[in-house]
Amino acid sequence: MAPWDGCISVLAVLCICLELAGIVIGDSAPNCDLAGASKKESAMEKAVIQKLAPLRAINFTATVNNGNDSYVYTFRVCTNASEDVTSGLTQFDNKLKKTVVVGRISQTRVFNGSDWILLTYQGGDSYTSHCSNEPRKAMVMISCDSSTLGDGFTVMNEENSKEMDCFYLFELNSKLACPPEDKHLSVGSVLLIVFACLLAVYLIGGFLYHRLIVGAKGMDQFPNYSFWQELGTLAADGCDFMCRSKPRNAPAAYRGVGDEQLGEEPEERDDHLLPM
């Protein structure tokens, strides 16, 4: 066995191990888990989640100050927002130095409209003193903004005065929530393209015919050269007729030099010629 055969075998084994490791890591990476069994998940919800995939790499934060209390909210799209791999939106209390999971990606619901997407994380940490100690829920309204991929993450409201069904409401701007642009050509554009194609066929075809069949040279190769030359002359004559304010061949008026244009001649004084 040649020495390099063993090296090739080792490299092949390493490549297989790295590929298997990548598959395992990819399968174990956090992701949104929609309601229902994996085979019964809504196709519409899965399409919306796939649409939001470019936002996975962005970490959104918002700070809320309420008197002496200060909270920092962290939001991630279909990936963990803290050390808890199921956390999708968290609240950090700067005073108590405590993190609370507001919503988990393991319980995701998503709805979309014409220019908005509502992403909901359920199953957060339970309330301790209100809302019947139910789990927290985060609702993120993603609005259409064609100028940004993801920006403007803000806390809109925390509804915790009810007995049940309390929630945190957030807002985010993203072009991913915008409807697809209509890129159809207008009627004028179609007519212009058709005209340009016909003109190109006319010029190229006429040039080749006169060059190869007729044997014309110079400007005579241009199709219907005499017609276009005459048309240009007629157009110039028409423009000249319509735009001039006086007859073309009218003789120019001649105005002689009058006395008033010559001005007054200075009076000659000859007193110095008289004898003293």
Side-chain angles (χ1 to χ4, degrees), residues 202-252:
Y202 168 75
L203 293 176
I204 297 174
F207 175 82
L208 293 177
Y209 173 79
H210 285 82
R211 175 77 175 183
L212 302 178
I213 305 300
V214 181
K217 302 292 183 180
M219 294 299 296
D220 292 334
Q221 300 175 94
F222 193 86
N224 304 110
Y225 174 70
S226 59
F227 167 77
W228 294 113
Q229 190 178 37
E230 183 68 19
L231 181 63
T233 303
L234 294 175
D237 292 342
C239 181
D240 182 59
F241 175 78
M242 293 296 295
C243 298
R244 289 185 181 273
S245 59
K246 60 182 179 179
R248 182 177 182 181
N249 297 325

Side-chain angles (χ1 to χ4, degrees), residues 25-26 37 157:
I25 293 174
N157 184 32

Side-chain angles (χ1 to χ4, degrees), residues 114-151:
S114 59
D115 58 354
W116 56 268
I117 297 174
L118 180 60
L119 182 64
T120 303
Y121 291 154
Q122 300 175 343
D125 293 344
S126 300
Y127 287 99
T128 56
S129 58
H130 43 272
C131 297
S132 302
N133 298 330
E134 69 176 0
R136 288 175 170 84
K137 178 172 61 177
M139 303 173 66
V140 182
M141 175 64 72
I142 305 175
S143 304
C144 171
D145 186 350
S146 58
S147 64
T148 180
L149 176 61
D151 195 11

Side-chain angles (χ1 to χ4, degrees), residues 73 91 127 130 136 155-160 167-169:
Y73 292 88
Q91 177 197 70
Y127 287 99
H130 43 272
R136 288 175 170 84
V155 183
M156 301 301 295
N157 184 32
E158 179 188 358
E159 179 56 72
N160 57 8
F167 61 88
Y168 292 76
L169 180 61

Side-chain angles (χ1 to χ4, degrees), residues 88-104:
L89 200 152
T90 61
Q91 177 197 70
F92 179 75
D93 190 333
N94 286 322
K95 184 177 181 180
L96 301 178
K97 305 301 180 182
K98 179 182 179 181
T99 300
V100 175
V101 178
V102 180
R104 301 183 186 276

Side-chain angles (χ1 to χ4, degrees), residues 57-74:
I58 305 177
N59 187 55
F60 301 100
T61 59
T63 302
V64 175
N65 297 314
N66 186 12
N68 295 328
D69 298 328
S70 177
Y71 303 96
V72 178
Y73 292 88
T74 303

